[in-house]
Amino acid sequence: MTQDELKQAVAQAAADYVAEHAAAGSIIGVGTGSTANFFIDALAPLKSKYKGAVASSEATRQRLEAHGITVFDLNDVDNIPVYVDGADEIDAGLNMIKGGGAALTREKIVAAVATTFVCIADGSKLVDTMGKFPLPVEVIPMASAYVARELAKLGGTPVLRAGCVTDNGNLIIDVKGLSITDPKGLEAQINQITGVVTNGLFAMRPANVLLLGTSEGVKTIV
Ligand code: 5RP
């Protein structure tokens, strides 16, 4: 199976999960990226069952609306039973690196509201130790040089993502060369740097369920 076929398989599995676990009339949280896009396409045929969705990015909002799915402002929603999103890396504890698509802050906010975070990923995303994928950090523009110097002290190599402005008007610094043995500790430590909006470690709020696409089929890991 190609990587896209694996992504499609997990996206369909996530739509099935939502159909089984989210009550009719509820609002679904929707992530960002190519795997999340397949999920949006798989969710579309079920749209009459749900009130609508909360989007974790402008790109996701546009794709949901193109399918005729109503998108709610998060401030008007107090309950999201299921949030479905991809990841750049995920470990056995369901900690993740996210933000390859620069949507990490909104993703983290929607995930914080959601009861259940379902991560959908092809098998290449499952790793023993995270850090091979550069860790994205969203920063306030005026703080980017200071934050980069502070991030370098943690042992990685910070690189400003060229040409990238987030939906929140901020910049992304990707930190290369980290070996992340304490995801929760590092998530907290980076978030303490003044000028950081948030970083792409999802360890304080990890996934609850991983739907992993493999050549033997979709595996459910909890
Ligand atoms: C976007 C993300 C994505 O979930 C992550 O980058 C995975 O993307 P893809 O499904 O395209 O591999 O965190 O900010």
Side-chain angles (χ1 to χ4, degrees), residues 153-206:
K153 292 179 190 166
L154 300 177
T157 305
V159 178
L160 190 66
R161 196 181 295 182
C164 177
V165 177
T166 71
D167 286 345
N168 313 308
N170 296 317
L171 304 176
I172 298 286
I173 295 174
D174 293 305
V175 188
K176 298 184 178 180
L178 293 172
S179 176
I180 302 173
T181 51
D182 175 14
K184 256 189 206 163
L186 186 62
E187 182 178 358
Q189 196 179 1
I190 293 176
N191 284 347
Q192 289 300 325
I193 300 170
T194 303
V196 167
V197 179
T198 197
N199 70 85
L201 275 168
F202 283 56
M204 290 189 269
R205 200 285 177 247

Side-chain angles (χ1 to χ4, degrees), residues 90-96 126-128 202-203 205-208 221-222:
I90 184 162
D91 70 14
L94 306 194
N95 305 298
M96 294 164 284
L126 183 62
V127 298
D128 288 331
F202 283 56
R205 200 285 177 247
N208 303 102
I221 298 166
V222 290

Side-chain angles (χ1 to χ4, degrees), residues 10 13-14 17 85-87 89-96 116-123 125-127 206-214 218-222:
V10 292
Y17 183 98
D85 198 358
E89 285 184 344
I90 184 162
D91 70 14
L94 306 194
N95 305 298
M96 294 164 284
T116 302
F117 186 140
V118 177
C119 178
I120 48 175
D122 66 83
K125 307 286 184 70
L126 183 62
V127 298
N208 303 102
V209 179
L210 167 61
L211 299 175
L212 189 71
T214 75
V218 176
K219 292 186 180 164
T220 303
I221 298 166
V222 290

Side-chain angles (χ1 to χ4, degrees), residues 17-209:
Y17 183 98
V18 168
E20 197 177 328
H21 293 87
S26 55
I27 293 175
I28 309 303
V30 184
T32 296
S34 57
T35 320
N37 281 345
F38 284 124
F39 169 68
I40 294 168
D41 299 344
L43 188 65
L46 304 174
K47 67 183 177 197
S48 60
K49 191 176 169 200
Y50 302 104
K51 199 168 164 193
V54 168
S56 62
S57 65
E58 286 306 307
T60 288
R61 182 184 60 74
Q62 283 170 18
R63 195 176 186 97
L64 286 162
E65 286 179 346
H67 277 296
I69 298 173
T70 305
V71 178
F72 288 86
D73 185 311
L74 183 61
N75 289 313
D76 298 326
V77 173
D78 52 17
N79 179 31
I80 298 174
V82 182
Y83 175 60
V84 178
D85 198 358
D88 298 301
E89 285 184 344
I90 184 162
D91 70 14
L94 306 194
N95 305 298
M96 294 164 284
I97 286 182
K98 293 184 44 52
L104 60 160
T105 299
R106 293 188 187 196
E107 292 171 338
K108 208 175 261 197
I109 293 168
V110 183
V113 176
T115 307
T116 302
F117 186 140
V118 177
C119 178
I120 48 175
D122 66 83
S124 69
K125 307 286 184 70
L126 183 62
V127 298
D128 288 331
T129 306
M130 295 187 294
K132 200 167 171 201
F133 190 92
L135 177 64
V137 180
E138 180 162 352
V139 296
I140 301 288
M142 72 170 286
S144 62
Y146 166 72
V147 171
R149 289 195 293 275
E150 293 300 302
L151 289 170
K153 292 179 190 166
L154 300 177
T157 305
V159 178
L160 190 66
R161 196 181 295 182
C164 177
V165 177
T166 71
D167 286 345
N168 313 308
N170 296 317
L171 304 176
I172 298 286
I173 295 174
D174 293 305
V175 188
K176 298 184 178 180
L178 293 172
S179 176
I180 302 173
T181 51
D182 175 14
K184 256 189 206 163
L186 186 62
E187 182 178 358
Q189 196 179 1
I190 293 176
N191 284 347
Q192 289 300 325
I193 300 170
T194 303
V196 167
V197 179
T198 197
N199 70 85
L201 275 168
F202 283 56
M204 290 189 269
R205 200 285 177 247
N208 303 102
V209 179

